[in-house]
Amino acid sequence: MRNRTAATTLRKRVLIIPGVTRHRPRNSSLGSAVGSPFYPALPAVQVAAVSASLSTWAGLDLTSFPTTPRSSVSFSHRTCFATTRRAGPTSTPPSSCTMATTAEQQAQLVETSKRLAAFQAVKDYLKPEYTRIGIGSGSTVVYVVEAIAALGPAVTSTMAFYPTGAQSEELIEAAGLRLQYISKLPADQQLDVAFDGADEVDDDLNLIKGGGACLWQEKIVAASARQFVCVADFRKLSSRLGTAWKKGIPIEVLPMAAPRVLGELRRLGSLDPCIRPGLPGKAGACVTDNGMWIIDAPFPPLLLSGDAEAAAADPRPVGTWTVDELADRLIKIPGVAEIGLFYGKNGLQVASGAQKPVAAYFGMADGTVTVKTA
Ligand SMILES: O=C[C@H](O)[C@H](O)[C@H](O)COP(=O)(O)O
């Protein structure tokens, strides 16, 4: 009863904006962005509600939420809206979680959030009839593999798993899943689905990836899948790329070209781009699975196409780009192997080669999972 009341209250707060298929609470901080030159049109991303006995299904111990009273962590059917914000500290957990005071508690909260999102994404997108599954890189994907392995051989024995690098290759093998390589995938065939993490996700489901120095193989695997599904925690949910993730856009470069690429990046308005160090594990530059280096290139928050159209009358500040504009410029710089912007189309819009996810799952700090779909 308590939860039904909460859901009803939230539904009453939904604002219907003509021409926009997005749901948002009236008091969302995004409200102040509506009508501003850079944030005039809310993108066509639907924010769906997810809940439903997830803890039971995922086998989670809710007491692992260190600070939220058990009674307030509800998985019964309740509406959960995206908490997307325009800028600033978008990763600040809701007030119900501010009791997570120690670093250890915060870290635990993040891990639990990742795991919740991973189990829900696998539940929703891994169909028993699928045979080819892409597995991305990073700390969140660990839980994706855990969720898949938990389905047991009855479901997974007919599936082959395609890694995006050395880490995911090890994850697949350690989970007892069948390893296969994207180089063996016939050109006229696709993966059924690929799961991967992200460093930041914007309102149009553009992504920043590569924070862990994996992006090139990830992009190939994502673009080889009919559906790419992103799994993340609440810190990654953002309105515009570059607001929460301040380290810059990861760019994989040929080492001998790095100085020239840095120069080009500065000319495009990047604020202090730099070669990522391998420290503390390795002296010198960070070397990717592909023998390349990573340059991290910070830019001012990236606009969506709708932002740019509305701002056409005003000259944009130097270095202010839309995601698509910047990505198209970066990928053309000689020496750039691949960029950590996943942008353009998703698997619902094109038959193959899509970089953007069809859905992004965010484990929230209050124990719910928010899903954004294309
Ligand atoms: O380079 C790493 C990959 O792009 C990861 O998917 C991304 O950094 C997210 O990693 P995590 O799940 O550890 O936050």
Side-chain angles (χ1 to χ4, degrees), residues 65-309:
F65 281 87
T67 59
T68 310
R70 190 177 177 120
S71 61
S72 71
V73 181
S74 169
F75 292 89
S76 60
H77 292 279
R78 95 180 194 192
T79 304
C80 178
F81 297 97
T83 53
T84 312
R85 292 170 187 149
R86 176 181 172 182
T90 56
S91 60
T92 304
S95 56
S96 64
C97 299
T98 52
M99 289 167 61
T101 48
T102 69
E104 190 181 347
Q105 285 176 324
Q106 291 285 1
Q108 174 67 35
L109 186 63
V110 168
E111 291 309 305
T112 306
S113 305
K114 292 176 187 176
R115 190 164 184 260
L116 280 169
F119 273 75
Q120 187 67 48
V122 168
K123 184 182 182 194
D124 290 349
Y125 275 91
L126 189 70
K127 307 297 178 200
E129 63 270 25
Y130 287 174
T131 57
R132 300 182 177 112
I133 320 297
I135 299 292
S137 315
S139 57
T140 312
V141 163
V142 172
Y143 301 113
V144 170
V145 173
E146 181 192 347
I148 294 172
L151 298 172
V155 175
T156 60
S157 61
T158 52
M159 299 173 172
F161 296 86
Y162 293 73
T164 55
Q167 180 226 355
S168 57
E169 187 172 332
E170 282 178 19
L171 276 178
I172 292 165
E173 287 196 303
L177 301 172
R178 186 150 64 92
L179 181 66
Q180 184 53 279
Y181 296 99
I182 206 77
S183 58
K184 302 296 181 194
L185 185 69
D188 61 347
Q189 299 194 10
Q190 289 177 290
L191 305 180
D192 295 303
V193 64
F195 298 95
D196 203 350
D199 300 304
E200 193 172 19
V201 184
D202 75 11
D203 279 346
D204 272 356
L205 300 188
N206 297 296
L207 310 180
I208 290 180
K209 289 180 56 55
C214 296
L215 61 92
W216 196 359
Q217 294 187 45
E218 287 184 345
K219 192 170 281 191
I220 292 167
V221 168
S224 301
R226 280 206 306 276
Q227 316 168 86
F228 167 33
V229 177
C230 181
V231 186
D233 61 78
F234 54 89
R235 301 170 305 164
K236 317 295 182 62
L237 185 54
S238 188
S239 172
R240 302 294 183 271
L241 298 182
T243 54
W245 181 261
K246 294 286 189 190
K247 297 178 183 173
I249 299 164
I251 301 172
E252 190 157 355
V253 299
L254 190 66
M256 60 88 79
R260 300 205 66 76
V261 174
L262 286 170
E264 288 300 322
L265 290 168
R266 288 189 199 99
R267 272 187 280 282
L268 291 175
S270 177
L271 317 162
D272 197 21
C274 55
I275 297 166
R276 189 182 297 180
L279 290 171
K282 173 190 172 299
C286 167
V287 179
T288 71
D289 285 345
N290 315 302
M292 303 284 153
W293 288 359
I294 296 285
I295 289 177
D296 291 300
F299 281 88
L302 300 182
L303 308 181
L304 305 181
S305 303
D307 301 335
E309 284 162 21

Side-chain angles (χ1 to χ4, degrees), residues 53-61 115-116 119-120 123 146-147 150:
S53 303
L54 186 56
S55 60
T56 307
W57 187 83
L60 296 183
D61 175 11
R115 190 164 184 260
L116 280 169
F119 273 75
Q120 187 67 48
K123 184 182 182 194
E146 181 192 347

